[in-house]
Amino acid sequence: MSTAKKLCALGSHRVLEPLGVLPQVAHRLDATPAAHANEILCDVEALNIDSASFRQIVEASDGDVERVRAHVLALVAERGKHHNPVTGSGGMFVGRVREIGAALAARSDLRPGDRIASLVSLTLTPLRIDAIERIDLATGRIWIRGTAVLFETGPYARLPDDLPDDVALAVLDVAGAPAQVRRLAEPGETVAVLGADGKSGILSCVAARARVGPSGRVVGFGPDPDTAGARLLVEAGYVDAFVRADARDVFAILAELPEALPDLADVTVNCVNVPGTELSSILMTKDHGTVYFFSMSTSFTAAALGAEGVAKDVTMIVGNGYAKDHAATALQTLRDHPPLLRYFLAKYGATAVAVTPVSAQV
Ligand code: NAP
């Protein structure tokens, strides 16, 4: 693709509005399906919409799949990317490389035809949707025909041969969480995970269990201890206890602490997909402990002012979704833990999920 614009490694040449910002901050991107010299153009097969974003879209659509479809199409048509203005979050895509820009061809390890998952948010990925083929309301997966552009700085992962795409996509979406837990927790410590039976929550519990060892303690919190995910955590020993609790209800959480976390947590990991859980996370953490806010529903002001208001001296970490080697490590975790693999295959494997066909095209 020839262009009069100066090409930028960070993709600012794709910004249409407002000018002078990077793609993540921009309101609208140019999603023209052709690769500039420093870009990789992909045919997209599926989107994995960020859980907080998808939940918000489904609620705003009253759970109606046709309205979800219309919402996603309108959002991407307007912005040239899947960037939910309410949650500020996006997701990721899986697809096949169609074209590699001339300046990248020699140094990229990719070739046209390779299948990859983007490890960069859809909030900054130029995206065009030609048709939505299926939507799975249970997992936030949307199968589409369309194109996306990766910038030269954008990380990606080759899809593994030994795991179904849908399972790999589910794991790769949240691979940053277990990677950070591995860094933050120390042997013998206590780790609390809110939203423990979701994708990132389960992987965080598994990472925490491995890191704190038998002398440490891992406690999961979630609304329902009877979900398949909660049962997996308890039965496989990834948590010492799973506590039924609504993380938005700070008094309910406080009532559980004497039994569930008598000395509070050294590290608290927030993996919920709803807003309003900052104070619960802070209050269940020891002074000088760490709260890792992986959730995209986290409010910086609620966390900062909330901790100050209750005089809690905790370190709070924003959930960077990227960590070196996070993708390969997360996929390997699945291979190393057969019960975990069985759970992900049952919940996210394409043959296992109930999908809703959507026939209409744009
Ligand atoms: P998920 O699989 O949908 O899991 C969300 C979990 O939160 C579920 O277990 C859910 O339980 C639980 N939950 C919902 N309401 C709750 C409440 N009131 N109290 C306690 N738990 C509650 O989501 P995910 O894909 O793991 O993502 C989790 C969060 O990480 C989301 O906010 C997502 O946006 C964010 N995320 C961040 C990054 C990053 O780079 N930082 C990347 C990907 C995702 P039920 O199923 O019973 O409702």
Side-chain angles (χ1 to χ4, degrees):
M1 182 178 177
S2 69
T3 177
K5 280 189 180 177
K6 189 170 180 307
L7 297 180
C8 161
L10 302 174
S12 65
H13 55 276
R14 285 272 181 177
V15 171
L16 294 178
E17 185 194 338
L19 295 177
V21 300
L22 289 175
Q24 208 281 330
V25 177
H27 178 71
R28 199 157 64 90
L29 300 181
D30 171 10
T32 304
H36 287 295
N38 65 346
E39 295 176 343
I40 296 170
L41 178 71
C42 297
D43 289 310
V44 177
E45 296 165 8
L47 305 175
N48 190 76
I49 304 299
D50 169 75
S51 177
S53 172
F54 195 68
R55 184 175 177 133
Q56 187 276 325
I57 291 171
V58 171
E59 284 176 1
S61 307
D62 294 325
D64 179 327
V65 75
E66 279 302 323
R67 287 178 60 192
V68 171
R69 167 190 169 275
H71 189 119
V72 168
L73 287 174
L75 178 61
V76 174
E78 182 196 336
R79 304 199 69 174
K81 57 178 179 171
H82 194 284
H83 189 167
N84 183 333
V86 179
T87 61
S89 56
M92 57 186 290
F93 76 84
V94 64
R96 193 179 287 278
V97 174
R98 186 202 288 185
E99 189 183 346
I100 301 177
L104 285 185
R107 59 188 155 102
S108 174
D109 63 347
L110 290 176
R111 294 289 169 265
D114 286 350
R115 301 192 64 245
I116 59 166
S118 67
L119 296 179
V120 60
S121 172
L122 289 177
T123 61
L124 56 95
T125 302
L127 175 69
R128 180 185 144 124
I129 299 182
D130 295 319
I132 289 183
E133 294 177 335
R134 287 183 292 162
I135 297 176
D136 182 24
L137 291 181
T139 60
R141 188 71 38 80
I142 303 183
W143 288 263
I144 71 162
R145 275 186 283 119
T147 53
V149 171
L150 278 180
F151 302 127
E152 63 181 284
T153 49
Y156 54 81
R158 283 176 190 281
L159 287 166
D161 296 331
D162 61 336
L163 294 171
D165 289 355
D166 296 312
V167 171
L169 194 54
V171 172
L172 292 172
D173 177 36
V174 296
Q180 301 289 350
V181 170
R182 232 169 270 117
R183 288 180 188 174
L184 295 172
E186 297 292 342
E189 286 191 338
T190 297
V191 177
V193 180
L194 288 168
D197 65 340
K199 290 191 292 294
S200 56
I202 290 175
L203 289 166
S204 294
C205 289
V206 174
R209 173 88 283 155
R211 186 76 183 123
V212 302
S215 60
R217 186 167 158 79
V218 183
V219 181
F221 292 78
D224 183 358
D226 290 323
T227 61
R231 286 202 305 273
L232 165 79
L233 290 173
V234 173
E235 285 163 15
Y238 298 133
V239 295
D240 296 285
F242 187 98
V243 178
R244 180 201 295 269
D246 179 342
R248 292 168 299 192
D249 184 345
V250 72
F251 295 109
I253 291 283
L254 284 174
E256 297 291 345
L257 293 184
E259 191 174 336
L261 291 172
D263 297 320
L264 302 184
D266 297 286
V267 178
T268 297
V269 187
N270 185 318
C271 292
V272 306
N273 58 0
V274 291
T277 64
E278 295 82 0
L279 260 181
S280 294
S281 312
I282 289 163
L283 285 168
M284 62 170 56
T285 310
K286 288 178 186 171
D287 263 340
H288 308 297
T290 301
V291 186
Y292 176 54
F293 285 112
F294 189 68
S295 169
M296 284 291 166
S297 301
T298 306
S299 155
F300 175 85
T301 40
L305 300 177
E308 181 189 82
V310 295
K312 266 283 184 178
D313 186 353
V314 291
T315 300
M316 295 188 282
I317 300 185
V318 173
N320 181 354
Y322 178 78
K324 196 167 181 311
D325 297 330
H326 67 324
T329 308
L331 292 173
Q332 191 55 41
T333 302
L334 228 58
R335 298 183 187 104
D336 293 344
H337 292 265
L340 184 67
L341 177 58
R342 280 196 293 279
Y343 170 81
F344 268 83
L345 285 170
K347 174 131 193 193
Y348 300 102
T351 52
V353 296
V355 293
T356 308
V358 178
S359 52
Q361 299 186 3
V362 283

